[in-house]
């Protein structure tokens, strides 16, 4: 099957050559994967995942990954079946999503041995950041030096090219100018100047990323979160999002996993409207086993803001994955905040703007995206979900009311068919980290607060009701 997909992507000559190279790659890697327990296939329906960075919990003596394992072993074994460990690779920006080295663990977090120890206790989801790399990545540094094979690993374009049809998730320029050994080059940077997009028109890039993916499987990945996968394939003159070639690449990854590690599941992260989002299920058997349920968070927030769950109920009643082997990945909070683009068509532009104003009034921030007409509109709401629901400045409202509201929101997420993903700061009912935001100026830092494990343990052992704990470190489990 993978040969047909490569022929579709690259034509007869390049496709045949890529198929031979892929067969050789798989033959070389197969012995390395032979030791992995095949496990139970398609067990996603019984999962619940904690979403966390490797350094959200800080121990006194051990590395952060060790502190996370200690906490999970003490408190989460009966509550979650796995952990989505957000990018733990060396990075230059975007808190892990501008990867400098795909195959290394950040030394300040721990080692591959720490990752493997976590995986021995629970299922692990790794981030497969496959659309772009850091501008400090060795591949891009080779491109800047004009070295083979990296000269064709990235996408360049004449800045005069009409790229007005390209879907933009950010307000930064699509093309970034870099000085190279071969002269100035304008490079495609969908998510910002430090995140340079890989050129999947080059089959060698695809093969390199397949090797990265299978190395993650070897190292313990049970699920692979395909970050920003919708933007993978670029064709000027199109939207450059959800292109047929992108779906063929995802299907190729699925083919390879089905043959090499059938217990490993693909989870696509596509912060887009619902119809496009569910397209990554394919026919229910040939693409992702799970897709992120992005509309859930803005719809739940809207229901509480308006005191009316009719729209949320109607939407939820319409959901059904295409097969028994697929599931929605349901979540309300994440490291990014609350994406609102998927709510378009479900909520009006005015209603989305109301949610943005609510978050701003509660001490959060709003990140915008650029539109084809030159305007901007909300892309994500940067906030913890606790503060999105309840105004932290509303002292007259009882803490018990705020806590009830929050737990009710989480109950909705947990009750929906699919796999729940619980962000660690929702587990604790955290407030926005205003001090962290003030230090960095980065909006997403509002929901990235690091916590000392000893303080967390002390608060969890406190006999007082959790709703009486003072801000900003509310804890509930």
């Amino acid at each position: 099957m993978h040969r047909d997909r490569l022929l579709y992507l690259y034509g007869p000559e390049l496709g045949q050559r890529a198929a031979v190279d892929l067969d050789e790659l798989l033959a070389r890697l197969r012995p390395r994967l032979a030791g992995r327990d095949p496990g139970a296939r398609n067990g996603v329906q019984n999962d619940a995942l904690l979403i966390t960075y490797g350094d959200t919990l800080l121990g006194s003596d051990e590395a952060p990954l060790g502190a996370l394992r200690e906490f999970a072993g003490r408190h989460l074994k009966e509550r979650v079946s796995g952990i989505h460990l957000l990018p733990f690779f060396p990075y230059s920006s975007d808190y892990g999503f501008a990867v400098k080295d795909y195959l290394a663990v950040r030394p300040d977090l721990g080692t591959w041995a720490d990752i493997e120890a976590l995986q021995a206790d629970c299922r692990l989801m790794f981030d497969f950041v496959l659309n772009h790399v850091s501008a400090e990545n060795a591949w891009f540094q080779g491109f800047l030096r004009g070295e083979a094979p990296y000269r064709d690993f990235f996408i360049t374009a004449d800045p005069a090219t009409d790229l007005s049809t390209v879907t933009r998730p950010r307000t930064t320029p699509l093309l970034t100018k870099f000085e190279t050994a071969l002269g100035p080059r304008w490079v495609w940077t969908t998510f910002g100047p430090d995140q340079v997009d890989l050129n999947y028109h080059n089959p060698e890039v695809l093969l390199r990323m397949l090797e990265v993916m299978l190395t993650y499987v070897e190292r313990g990945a049970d699920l692979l979160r395909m970050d920003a996968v919708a933007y993978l394939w670029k064709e000027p003159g199109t939207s450059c999002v959800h292109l047929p070639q992108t779906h063929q690449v995802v299907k190729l990854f699925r083919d390879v996993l089905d043959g090499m590690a059938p217990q490993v599941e693909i989870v696509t992260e596509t912060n887009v409207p619902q119809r496009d989002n569910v397209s990554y299920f394919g026919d229910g058997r040939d693409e992702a086993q799970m897709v992120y349920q992005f509309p859930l968070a803005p719809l739940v927030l809207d229901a509480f803001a308006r005191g009316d769950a009719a729209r949320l109920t109607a939407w939820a009643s319409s959901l059904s994955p295409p097969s028994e082997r697929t599931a929605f990945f349901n979540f309300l909070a994440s490291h990014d905040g609350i994406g609102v683009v998927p709510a378009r068509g479900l909520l009006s532009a005015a209603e989305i703007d109301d949610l943005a104003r609510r978050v701003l009034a509660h001490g959060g921030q709003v990140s915008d995206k650029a539109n084809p007409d030159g305007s901007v509109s909300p892309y994500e709401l940067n906030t913890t979900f606790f503060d999105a629901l309840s105004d932290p400045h509303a002292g007259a409202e009882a803490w018990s009311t705020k806590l009830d509201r929050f737990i009710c929101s989480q109950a909705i997420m947990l009750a929906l068919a699919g796999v729940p993903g619980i962000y660690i700061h929702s587990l604790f009912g955290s407030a926005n980290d205003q001090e962290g935001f003030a230090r960095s100026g980065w909006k997403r830092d509002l929901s990235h607060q690091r916590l000392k494990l000893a303080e967390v343990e002390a608060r969890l052992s406190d006999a007082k009701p959790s709703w009486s704990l003072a801000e900003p470190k509310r804890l509930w489990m």
Side-chain angles (χ1 to χ4, degrees):
M1 181 66 76
H2 65 253
R3 185 176 300 271
D4 292 340
R5 303 205 194 283
L6 291 168
L7 292 174
Y8 175 88
L9 291 169
Y10 300 116
E13 184 177 348
L14 273 181
Q16 288 285 7
R17 192 182 313 156
V20 171
D21 291 342
L22 178 54
D23 287 338
E24 292 176 356
L25 173 67
L26 299 182
R28 175 165 57 85
L29 294 180
R30 189 168 282 110
R32 288 166 45 184
L33 300 179
R36 280 223 50 189
D37 181 358
R41 188 185 175 103
N42 300 311
V44 297
Q45 298 287 354
N46 298 317
D47 276 338
L49 300 181
L50 176 75
I51 305 168
T52 183
Y53 277 105
D55 60 355
T56 299
L57 295 174
L58 303 175
S60 55
D61 299 317
E62 73 257 271
L65 288 172
L68 174 60
R69 186 186 182 205
E70 179 184 337
F71 175 81
R74 185 175 294 124
H75 297 290
L76 300 182
K77 279 192 174 180
E78 303 303 319
R79 292 177 170 89
V80 301
S81 57
I83 295 174
H84 170 201
L85 195 57
L86 288 156
F88 50 83
F89 324 107
Y91 71 96
S92 56
S93 64
D94 201 11
Y95 207 26
F97 288 92
V99 179
K100 294 167 62 174
D101 185 345
Y102 281 116
L103 303 181
V105 176
R106 281 169 45 200
D108 61 307
L109 292 182
T111 66
W112 278 114
D114 293 307
I115 301 290
E116 290 161 8
L118 263 176
Q119 198 274 337
D121 294 340
C122 63
R123 286 160 58 84
L124 287 185
M125 185 193 294
F126 285 19
D127 272 286
F128 187 25
V129 186
L130 70 172
N131 178 71
H132 49 263
V133 301
S134 163
E136 297 179 23
N137 185 287
W139 299 353
F140 190 66
Q141 292 300 304
F143 165 85
L144 294 178
R145 293 190 295 267
E147 297 172 355
Y150 306 111
R151 284 192 295 265
D152 298 319
F153 267 41
F154 302 93
I155 304 166
T156 59
D158 185 329
T161 305
D162 181 4
L163 299 173
S164 59
T165 60
V166 176
T167 297
R168 299 294 295 118
R170 296 288 185 271
T171 55
T172 53
L174 178 59
L175 300 179
T176 300
K177 184 180 179 181
F178 289 91
E179 296 296 333
T180 80
L182 304 177
R185 294 290 185 272
W186 292 85
V187 181
W188 203 290
T189 53
T190 298
F191 290 93
D194 189 44
Q195 293 168 295
V196 286
D197 289 42
L198 290 163
N199 178 19
Y200 282 86
H201 285 260
N202 178 355
E204 189 165 353
V205 169
L206 178 62
L207 291 169
R208 288 284 188 101
M209 295 308 291
L210 280 162
E211 184 169 8
V212 169
M213 179 184 76
L214 291 174
T215 302
Y216 290 169
V217 173
E218 178 190 10
R219 291 292 195 172
D222 299 289
L223 304 102
L224 292 161
R225 176 187 181 271
M226 291 190 171
D227 176 68
V229 66
Y231 300 90
L232 201 68
W233 196 278
K234 284 80 172 176
E235 294 286 350
T238 73
S239 66
C240 298
V241 64
H242 316 304
L243 296 187
Q245 295 92 333
T246 293
H247 285 280
Q248 287 297 317
V249 171
V250 177
K251 291 177 182 182
L252 175 62
F253 286 130
R254 174 70 181 268
D255 291 342
V256 169
L257 288 172
D258 281 351
M260 298 284 284
Q263 78 281 6
V264 177
E265 292 144 1
I266 291 173
V267 186
T268 51
E269 185 266 344
T270 51
N271 188 358
V272 296
Q274 182 82 351
R275 183 179 64 179
D276 297 318
N277 192 34
V278 299
S279 71
Y280 289 87
F281 278 133
D283 67 6
R285 296 175 298 277
D286 64 350
E287 271 188 81
Q289 284 95 338
M290 282 196 280
V291 301
Y292 267 64
Q293 188 61 284
F294 273 100
L296 178 61
L299 286 174
V300 169
L301 183 58
D302 171 76
F304 278 94
R306 293 188 302 107
D308 182 356
R311 208 166 336 192
L312 170 64
T313 302
W315 167 80
S317 66
S318 71
L319 298 175
S320 59
S323 80
E324 73 284 353
R325 298 170 65 178
T326 57
F328 290 106
F329 186 60
N330 299 319
F331 72 107
L332 290 177
S334 76
H335 59 289
D336 289 341
I338 302 170
V340 293
V341 172
R344 298 188 187 281
L346 301 169
L347 300 176
S348 68
E351 288 165 332
I352 291 173
D353 287 342
D354 285 343
L355 294 182
R357 283 190 289 269
R358 178 188 184 89
V359 164
L360 289 169
H362 291 191
Q365 296 291 320
V366 178
S367 294
D368 293 326
K369 71 179 190 72
N371 299 318
D373 63 1
S375 64
V376 298
S377 58
Y379 179 76
E380 67 187 20
L381 312 179
N382 305 114
T383 179
T384 65
F385 208 77
F386 196 105
D387 277 1
L389 285 172
S390 300
D391 186 351
H393 308 111
E397 186 173 47
W399 270 103
S400 58
T401 301
K402 294 181 179 182
L403 186 62
D404 287 347
R405 184 181 297 125
F406 181 68
I407 291 178
C408 181
S409 74
Q410 305 305 298
I412 293 169
M413 182 262 290
L414 292 169
L416 286 180
V419 176
I422 305 163
Y423 188 46
I424 192 164
H425 282 296
S426 287
L427 189 72
F428 298 148
S430 297
N432 287 327
D433 183 10
Q434 298 294 350
E435 291 181 5
F437 174 52
R439 284 193 302 268
S440 69
W442 192 44
K443 296 175 181 179
R444 288 180 174 176
D445 265 345
L446 285 164
S447 58
H448 288 180
Q449 184 180 13
R450 295 174 178 85
L451 304 169
K452 292 181 179 180
L453 179 58
E455 292 183 8
V456 170
E457 294 288 3
R459 287 174 175 269
L460 290 174
S461 63
D462 194 327
K464 292 183 296 183
S466 58
W467 53 261
S468 69
L469 296 175
E471 289 185 271
K473 295 176 182 175
R474 299 179 287 263
L475 301 174
W476 71 281
M477 291 185 63

